[in-house]
Amino acid sequence: MMRMFEMSDLGLLSYYLGIEVKQTPDCISLCQAGYASKILEKTGMLNCNSNGEPFVDATEYRRIIGSLRYLVNTRPDLAYSVGVVSRYMDTPTVTHMNAVKQILRYVRGTIGMGIVYKKNQEKEELVGFSDSDLAGDTDDRKSTSGIIFFIGESPITWVSHKQRIVVLSSCEAEYIAATGGACQGLWLKKIIAELRGDDKVKPVLKVDNKSAISLANNPVFHERSKHIDTRIHFIRDCVQCGDIQLEYVKTEEQVADLLTKPLARQRFNELRDRIGVKQV
């Protein structure tokens, strides 16, 4: 081309239309670092945190979480959401703080709600519900268990927590939640027996997964359950000894669903009413 046209040799190409070019005997690399910096400068993000999520004051975040966790003592409807934001207390970011503020907005709108314990209820049975989502945590794919127990119509204990292992099926997730419910039920049975002076109370635990109930009733290990940790099979002994009774409940009637996952507004309000959180 230089023989045919008059031109100057400027050497190897290093920059063209915002593209930085580096040429070596082995490779050619293209980069737009300068162009990217201009974009950040124009948008005011040149000095932002490189992970895209600015951190917030961890001490303040933990203080708010601690207060909300104490509020859960009378507000089981907050148990799941507060449990989720509690997982990020080490290095909270703006996104996490925004989630906390959303919870606070909900608290502001329902500030007068609590639990009512009625005297001389007709049915004073000890009834529990256990439920689980499946791999709901997008970070580690672990499931969340939800457990709540009632005496009559009033809730007396509840918990929403992430399971310690990654499960392989919804049956396994529900089975683990039911095992936690069995432990809780036996503990309540002992407390009630001490208070009343008798041990006639027999906890009933309601589960919305028939496979998990079958697994608890069947002592035979099979392909779908032999990998489950033996300590989780504690519920089998409870069922066989008659310490706890398992019953199937339809998913629509599973009130512990509120403790395992985010729900649509209508479903959330419905379950909130059913677990006994009311305006007081």
Side-chain angles (χ1 to χ4, degrees):
M1 291 182 65
M2 292 183 69
R3 288 196 298 267
M4 295 181 63
F5 303 98
E6 184 178 346
M7 58 174 54
S8 301
D9 186 359
L10 301 178
L12 296 175
L13 178 65
S14 60
Y15 189 85
Y16 179 74
L17 297 178
I19 302 175
E20 300 162 26
V21 183
K22 292 183 179 179
Q23 301 185 50
T24 67
D26 299 325
C27 65
I28 298 174
S29 62
L30 306 178
C31 179
Q32 290 178 277
Y35 183 71
S37 296
K38 290 180 180 179
I39 295 175
L40 294 172
E41 187 176 359
K42 289 180 180 179
T43 55
M45 297 291 288
L46 185 59
N47 297 316
C48 69
N49 195 298
S50 60
N51 66 2
E53 273 293 330
F55 295 109
V56 298
D57 186 345
T59 302
E60 176 67 8
Y61 185 86
R62 292 167 190 157
R63 184 187 66 79
I64 298 173
I65 295 299
S67 299
L68 286 173
R69 291 185 72 87
Y70 186 71
L71 186 61
V72 173
N73 286 329
T74 58
R75 295 290 300 271
D77 54 323
L78 297 174
Y80 172 75
S81 56
V82 173
V84 171
V85 294
S86 296
R87 300 171 188 173
Y88 304 97
M89 288 196 288
D90 287 340
T91 53
T93 65
V94 170
T95 297
H96 302 135
M97 183 59 82
N98 288 339
V100 170
K101 290 180 179 179
Q102 190 66 23
I103 296 174
L104 294 174
R105 292 187 186 97
Y106 170 73
V107 171
R108 178 64 184 88
T110 58
I111 199 167
M113 285 191 165
I115 300 172
V116 177
Y117 293 94
K118 297 180 180 179
K119 187 178 181 180
N120 299 325
Q121 299 184 70
E122 294 183 3
K123 295 183 179 180
E124 294 188 351
E125 301 169 337
L126 180 60
V127 179
F129 294 79
S130 72
D131 194 21
S132 174
D133 69 342
L134 179 61
D137 192 307
T138 56
D139 295 327
D140 56 18
R141 308 312 299 179
K142 292 182 180 178
S143 304
T144 298
S145 294
I147 303 165
I148 185 168
F149 272 87
F150 296 81
I151 287 185
E153 299 178 355
S154 303
I156 57 172
T157 182
W158 50 87
V159 64
S160 173
H161 66 84
K162 187 163 66 171
Q163 296 177 359
R164 296 183 178 181
I165 62 175
V166 178
V167 299
L168 302 180
S169 66
S170 59
C171 172
E172 185 177 353
E174 296 278 3
Y175 188 68
I176 293 173
T179 301
C183 295
Q184 191 85 343
L186 292 182
W187 174 70
L188 290 171
K189 177 182 177 181
K190 291 179 180 178
I191 291 179
I192 294 173
E194 290 181 5
L195 293 174
R196 292 181 175 178
D198 63 65
D199 57 354
K200 295 181 181 179
V201 175
K202 184 177 181 180
V204 176
L205 184 63
K206 299 193 176 186
V207 182
D208 64 356
N209 187 290
K210 292 183 178 180
S211 297
I213 295 176
S214 298
L215 186 58
N217 285 296
N218 183 7
V220 179
F221 285 83
H222 49 71
E223 288 297 323
R224 293 185 180 180
S225 65
K226 66 181 183 180
H227 66 280
I228 299 177
D229 195 329
T230 54
R231 64 188 174 84
I232 298 174
H233 291 295
F234 165 77
I235 190 173
R236 284 181 174 171
D237 290 336
C238 296
V239 173
Q240 291 172 15
C241 295
D243 292 331
I244 194 164
Q245 178 182 342
L246 291 185
E247 291 185 0
Y248 174 73
V249 62
K250 293 181 180 180
T251 301
E252 296 79 12
E253 304 296 321
Q254 178 56 273
V255 297
D257 195 31
L258 182 72
L259 305 173
T260 64
K261 63 179 75 69
L263 300 171
R265 183 188 296 270
Q266 183 177 353
R267 175 66 171 165
F268 179 88
N269 291 340
E270 174 192 345
L271 293 183
R272 182 185 65 190
D273 293 341
R274 294 186 60 183
I275 65 174
V277 178
K278 303 175 182 178
Q279 192 73 25
V280 297

